[in-house]
């Protein structure tokens, strides 16, 4: 599948590992997560984290069907060859539908005798939330104990997550019986959603993991490439070589694609496998594709393009930022930037400008590809995110022409570079365009697409990308780090949880002991050991907290362990709105044992995503 990839990956700031690891403790309290550091640094307090959720109301959540988008830029799949339908809008389609509902109350739709064939087969993630009447006196309480990673995996696969010994949280949820009318409504709504087809899983590039037929196809393709190199076939018919000396120099026996010499080492196998997968492991078809790609790269002047200065006007349209959970670099395509009329005219108003835009986009893609690891066990694909918020509509003729041209180039010359394609902030009216293009997309292509409506965009990104790696404008914690934000970086992991409608969530960060290499300080201000007195060391607790979209109340306080001490209000409960700063950064100087309580009260009828992370720093007077 041809992919788009912008240029520079922002440098990842190295950060010390979190001061604690997590273990599970069971108690009668709603939820407890304790984090203990097996080998804490000198004079740094050991802490535990406890998450408590109190539920007052329960909201029934109905799934909605989401439409696919018409991408304004470049996300084609090389496995989809032109089918004589080039006049269709080059809309990137969706994939299998993923339904998310609260585990306690799930209503399944009855099967139809003759269900209509779904027009869209992308992962559609949508949300329709309505307020349910107050919970009756008799309620069923379900307690689950599972790790954060397990919970995320459960949302991804639908399978129950296994509790782990580390990083475990316990949540308490309250459910009520769904009325008969609500069950019928849920069933009708579920019928509208296409059936799930499963999500694409990237294949291994290791030769040992290939099937016999795939290994045979690879050997056949290598033989064809070897014969072509020996006969100098790849260096013939080049229209771009006007310098005889340069042309003579290039008529060597070495041929490279994306900086990887073909047949020189095992990285070449990864390149050849991309072409084979794009052509269903038909060696002769893959060879023709390779030959055409090498010829196109010479005619397009790829080597010269890498050094061209094409300006930075489009840097906000496409950019690289962070990595997903599997280590793929993430490329963001922001189509809403083309609402800027001046930028739109500069990119698409005539053929010359459309070609310049294409060259700029290919340049970004080439630079990004050359940063990938083409070893058999390395990362050789890119995670694509396409933001369709305020994306220009289908009436933009110039945009359709540019997209069509780009898709053709990418699908023919950049096979299998997309690991996953996630569309966020998808408008409903894109469904019509997906319906048109869907019949011409392969099952492999469809399985790579995930579609999320605006209400589910941040939650969907968190399924694949750690919250600390997601840009702040998309609901995460990642910003361009500088002197104004020295405490945290993309390397500092964050914890994600859900605050259900009408519930209050409390995160307890407990300072329960202070340690050094030689001594474990007990909870008193002075300890005598080996004839010497040691004082309790002060520390500074620093944290970041974010509720995506806010519209909740947030407060923080420190509660000392000593009975004769008073609680300290760090921030009184304050109503936070969507217009407030997306991330709250705070710190507190701890001089005695106790706990910091971060409380989020969600009075709305929608569930909220809560993110937080913290670190403990020694305090020096």
């Amino acid at each position: 599948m041809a992919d788009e990839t912008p240029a520079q990956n922002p440098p990842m700031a190295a950060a010390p590992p979190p001061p604690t690891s997590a273990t599970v403790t069971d108690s009668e309290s709603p939820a407890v997560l304790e984090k203990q550091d097996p080998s804490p640094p000198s004079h740094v307090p050991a802490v535990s984290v406890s998450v408590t959720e109190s539920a007052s109301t329960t909201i029934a959540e109905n799934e909605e069907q989401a439409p696919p988008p018409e991408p304004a830029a470049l996300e084609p799949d090389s496995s989809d060859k032109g089918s004589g339908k080039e006049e269709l809008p080059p809309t990137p389609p969706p994939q299998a539908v993923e339904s998310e509902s609260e585990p306690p109350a799930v209503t399944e739709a009855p099967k139809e005798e003759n269900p209509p064939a779904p027009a869209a087969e992308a992962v559609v993630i949508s949300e329709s939330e309505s307020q349910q009447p107050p919970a009756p006196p008799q309620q069923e309480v379900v307690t689950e104990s599972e790790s954060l990673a397990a919970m995320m995996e459960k949302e991804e696969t639908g399978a129950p997550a296994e509790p782990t010994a580390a990083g475990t949280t316990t949540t308490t949820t309250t459910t009520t019986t769904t009325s008969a009318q609500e069950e019928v409504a849920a069933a009708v709504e579920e019928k509208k959603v296409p059936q799930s087809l499963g999500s694409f899983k990237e294949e291994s590039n290791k030769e040992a993991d290939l099937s016999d037929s795939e290994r045979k196809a690879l050997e056949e393709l290598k033989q064809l490439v070897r014969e072509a190199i020996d006969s100098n076939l790849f260096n013939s018919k080049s229209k771009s070589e006007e310098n005889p000396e340069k042309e003579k120099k290039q008529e060597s026996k070495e041929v490279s694609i994306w900086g990887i010499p073909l047949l020189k080492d095992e990285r070449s196998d990864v390149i050849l496998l991309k072409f084979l997968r794009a052509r269903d492991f038909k060696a002769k078809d893959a060879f023709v594709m390779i030959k055409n790609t090498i010829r196109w790269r010479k005619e397009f002047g790829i080597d010269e393009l890498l050094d061209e200065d094409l300006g930075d006007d489009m840097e906000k349209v496409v950019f690289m930022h962070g990595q997903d959970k599997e280590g793929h670099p993430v490329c963001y395509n922001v189509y809403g930037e083309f609402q800027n009329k001046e930028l739109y005219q500069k990119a698409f108003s005539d053929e010359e400008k459309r070609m310049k835009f294409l060259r700029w986009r290919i340049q970004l893609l080439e630079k990004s590809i050359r940063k990938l690891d083409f070893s058999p066990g390395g990362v050789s694909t890119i995670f694509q995110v396409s933001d369709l918020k305020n994306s220009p509509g289908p009436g933009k003729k110039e945009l359709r022409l540019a997209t069509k041209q780009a898709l053709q180039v990418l699908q023919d010359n950049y096979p299998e570079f997309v690991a996953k394609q996630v569309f966020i902030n998808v408008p409903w009216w894109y469904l019509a365009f997906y319906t048109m293009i869907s019949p011409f997309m392969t099952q492999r292509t469809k399985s790579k697409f995930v579609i999320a409506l605006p209400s589910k965009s941040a939650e969907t990104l968190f399924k694949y990308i750690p919250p600390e790696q997601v840009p702040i404008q998309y609901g995460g914690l990642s910003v361009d780090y500088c002197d104004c934000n020295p405490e945290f970086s993309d390397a500092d992991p964050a914890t994600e949880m859900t605050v259900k409608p009408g519930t209050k969530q409390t995160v307890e960060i407990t300072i329960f002991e202070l340690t050094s290499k030689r001594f474990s300080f007990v909870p008193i201000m002075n300890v005598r050991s080996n004839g010497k007195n040691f004082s309790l060391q002060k520390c500074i607790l620093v944290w970041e907290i974010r509720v995506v979209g806010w519209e909740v109340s947030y407060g923080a306080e420190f509660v000392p362990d000593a009975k004769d001490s008073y609680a300290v209000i760090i921030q009184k409960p304050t109503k936070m709105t969507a217009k407030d700063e997306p991330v709250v950064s705070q710190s507190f100087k701890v001089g005695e044992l106790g706990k910091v309580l971060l409380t989020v009260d969600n009075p709305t009828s929608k569930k909220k995503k809560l993110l937080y992370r913290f670190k403990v720093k020694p305090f020096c007077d």
Side-chain angles (χ1 to χ4, degrees):
M1 177 169 189
D3 313 4
E4 313 182 303
T5 333
Q8 56 277 3
N9 250 329
M12 307 293 290
T20 60
S21 59
T23 57
V24 183
T25 63
D26 294 326
S27 66
E28 295 180 357
S29 61
V32 178
L33 168 65
E34 291 191 358
K35 294 187 177 180
Q36 297 178 343
D37 192 350
S39 57
S42 178
H43 303 301
V44 175
V47 298
S48 67
V49 179
S50 172
V51 181
T52 304
E53 175 189 71
S54 57
S56 58
T57 59
T58 304
I59 302 301
E61 298 177 358
N62 298 326
E63 299 303 322
E64 299 175 352
Q65 178 185 3
E70 172 199 2
L74 328 167
E75 332 333 299
D77 187 340
S78 61
S79 60
D80 296 320
K81 303 175 70 174
S83 307
K85 302 292 181 181
E86 296 183 0
E87 69 279 1
L88 291 177
T91 307
Q95 122 196 13
V97 176
E98 181 173 322
S99 245
E100 294 181 8
S101 57
E102 295 299 327
V106 180
T107 303
E108 291 191 3
K111 296 182 179 179
E112 293 183 328
E113 294 182 0
N114 296 307
E121 304 193 45
V123 174
V124 179
I125 305 178
S126 59
E127 178 180 25
S128 174
E129 299 171 312
S130 58
Q131 182 69 39
Q132 189 174 336
Q138 295 182 351
Q139 297 177 340
E140 177 186 0
V141 179
V142 181
T143 302
E144 298 178 304
S145 178
E146 51 191 353
S147 68
L148 176 63
M151 285 190 292
M152 300 178 82
E153 181 179 354
K154 179 179 179 182
E155 291 181 3
E156 178 74 17
T157 63
E162 295 294 333
T164 59
T168 306
T169 61
T170 308
T171 59
T172 303
T173 58
T174 306
T175 64
T176 59
T177 305
T178 307
S179 66
Q181 291 182 349
E182 290 171 336
E183 291 181 2
V184 173
V188 172
E189 185 70 25
E190 197 165 326
K191 288 180 182 179
K192 300 178 183 179
V193 183
Q195 296 299 313
S196 175
L197 298 175
S199 182
F200 171 78
K201 183 172 178 60
E202 203 168 2
E203 299 95 337
S204 170
N205 287 316
K206 296 179 180 179
E207 186 174 356
D209 296 332
L210 300 177
S211 66
D212 292 340
S213 60
E214 292 172 344
R215 196 177 296 110
K216 181 178 179 181
L218 177 60
E219 291 302 322
E220 182 180 352
L221 179 58
K222 290 168 74 172
Q223 179 61 32
L224 292 172
V225 171
R226 168 56 63 196
E227 293 173 356
I229 291 176
D230 291 342
S231 61
N232 208 27
L233 177 63
F234 289 140
N235 287 320
S236 62
K237 301 181 181 179
S238 173
K239 299 178 182 179
S240 63
E241 299 295 342
E242 299 178 356
N243 188 329
E245 293 297 326
K246 189 174 182 180
E247 184 173 2
K248 183 178 180 180
K249 183 178 179 180
Q250 286 197 350
E251 287 185 357
S252 63
K253 297 295 184 179
E254 184 176 286
V255 177
S256 298
I257 303 181
W258 304 302
I260 308 298
L262 294 183
L263 303 185
K264 188 173 183 179
D265 54 41
E266 60 183 3
R267 294 178 303 165
S268 174
D269 289 356
V270 176
I271 299 294
L272 298 182
L273 283 170
K274 287 182 178 294
F275 287 93
L276 282 170
R277 290 189 173 110
R279 292 296 179 261
D280 296 326
F281 279 90
K282 298 176 181 177
K284 293 182 179 179
D285 291 347
F287 173 73
V288 172
M289 187 179 185
I290 291 175
K291 183 173 64 174
N292 292 338
T293 294
I294 294 174
R295 179 182 303 139
W296 171 83
R297 292 176 67 82
K298 290 183 178 181
E299 293 175 355
F300 200 81
I302 293 296
D303 292 337
E304 294 79 11
L305 177 64
L306 289 171
D307 298 325
E308 285 188 31
D309 182 6
L310 299 176
D312 56 2
D313 299 329
M314 303 293 172
E315 284 187 346
K316 291 184 178 180
V317 177
V318 186
F319 60 91
M320 301 292 291
H321 192 108
Q323 298 178 337
D324 71 357
K325 294 179 180 179
E326 297 179 353
H328 300 99
V330 182
C331 172
Y332 290 85
N333 303 273
V334 189
Y335 299 126
E337 291 293 328
F338 289 124
Q339 287 288 359
N340 183 321
K341 294 182 179 180
E342 182 179 351
L343 183 64
Y344 182 88
Q345 292 296 323
K346 192 170 185 177
F348 307 122
S349 59
D350 56 45
E351 181 62 29
E352 181 180 352
K353 292 178 179 177
R354 288 194 292 271
M355 177 55 66
K356 183 178 179 180
F357 172 78
L358 177 62
R359 291 184 65 81
W360 173 84
R361 191 62 190 88
I362 294 298
Q363 183 189 65
L364 289 179
L365 179 59
E366 284 285 333
K367 289 181 178 180
S368 299
I369 287 177
R370 289 173 188 250
K371 295 179 181 179
L372 297 175
D373 179 8
F374 284 97
S375 64
V379 174
S380 61
T381 52
I382 297 166
F383 190 102
Q384 291 274 350
V385 177
S386 296
D387 179 13
L388 299 179
K389 183 178 181 179
N390 298 325
S391 175
K396 300 287 187 180
K397 178 182 177 182
E398 300 86 2
L399 185 58
R400 290 204 312 270
L401 290 174
T403 303
K404 176 179 170 182
Q405 184 181 28
L407 288 172
Q408 189 66 49
V409 168
L410 293 175
Q411 75 176 11
D412 289 345
N413 302 289
Y414 294 90
E416 298 297 321
F417 274 104
V418 170
K420 182 73 69 177
Q421 177 69 270
V422 177
F423 293 93
I424 59 175
N425 297 316
V426 176
W428 281 93
W429 49 270
Y430 268 105
L431 181 59
F433 292 96
Y434 172 71
T435 302
M436 295 173 60
I437 198 72
S438 177
F440 306 100
M441 303 298 289
T442 65
Q443 178 59 44
R444 180 181 178 85
T445 299
K446 294 175 185 178
S447 67
K448 293 186 180 182
F449 284 84
V450 178
I451 306 299
L453 295 181
S455 62
K456 285 283 190 177
S457 292
E459 182 177 347
T460 302
L461 290 179
F462 296 158
K463 286 179 176 292
Y464 306 102
I465 308 172
E468 64 271 12
Q469 298 276 347
V470 176
I472 198 168
Q473 63 266 36
Y474 293 121
L477 296 174
S478 182
V479 297
D480 291 330
Y481 295 100
C482 57
D483 293 338
C484 60
N485 186 20
E487 301 296 347
F488 296 95
S489 72
D490 290 346
D492 293 311
T495 299
E496 171 203 351
M497 62 182 61
T498 299
V499 184
K500 295 176 183 173
T503 64
K504 181 183 292 186
Q505 195 94 11
T506 300
V507 178
E508 297 181 2
I509 305 174
T510 305
I511 312 295
F512 61 87
E513 67 176 355
L514 294 160
T515 62
S516 71
K517 293 182 179 179
R518 295 178 298 167
F519 310 105
S520 292
F521 293 103
V522 296
I524 57 177
M525 291 305 295
N526 291 284
V527 178
R528 184 173 181 81
S529 177
N530 295 335
K532 295 181 181 180
N533 289 329
F534 296 90
S535 298
L536 178 78
Q537 299 296 309
K538 296 178 181 179
C539 69
I540 297 178
L541 185 66
V542 184
W543 67 90
E544 283 186 338
I545 187 169
R546 175 176 193 173
V547 177
V548 180
W550 288 113
E551 301 301 337
V552 299
S553 292
Y554 164 69
E557 64 176 334
F558 175 75
V559 180
D561 286 348
K563 294 182 180 180
D564 56 348
S565 297
Y566 294 95
V568 179
I569 302 299
I570 302 172
Q571 176 174 318
K572 65 181 181 179
T574 306
K575 176 66 180 297
M576 307 291 292
T577 69
K579 295 182 180 180
D580 289 316
E581 287 294 325
V583 179
V584 172
S585 301
Q586 292 178 311
S587 63
F588 182 74
K589 183 173 71 174
V590 180
E592 57 182 318
L593 301 182
K595 55 190 175 183
V596 172
L597 305 180
L598 311 179
T599 304
V600 174
D601 188 358
N602 178 19
T604 71
S605 61
K606 297 181 179 180
K607 63 182 180 181
K608 298 287 185 176
K609 278 295 177 183
L610 165 64
L611 309 174
Y612 74 90
R613 56 182 171 177
F614 69 92
K615 62 174 55 176
V616 181
K617 304 196 311 180
F619 176 77
C620 298
D621 291 319

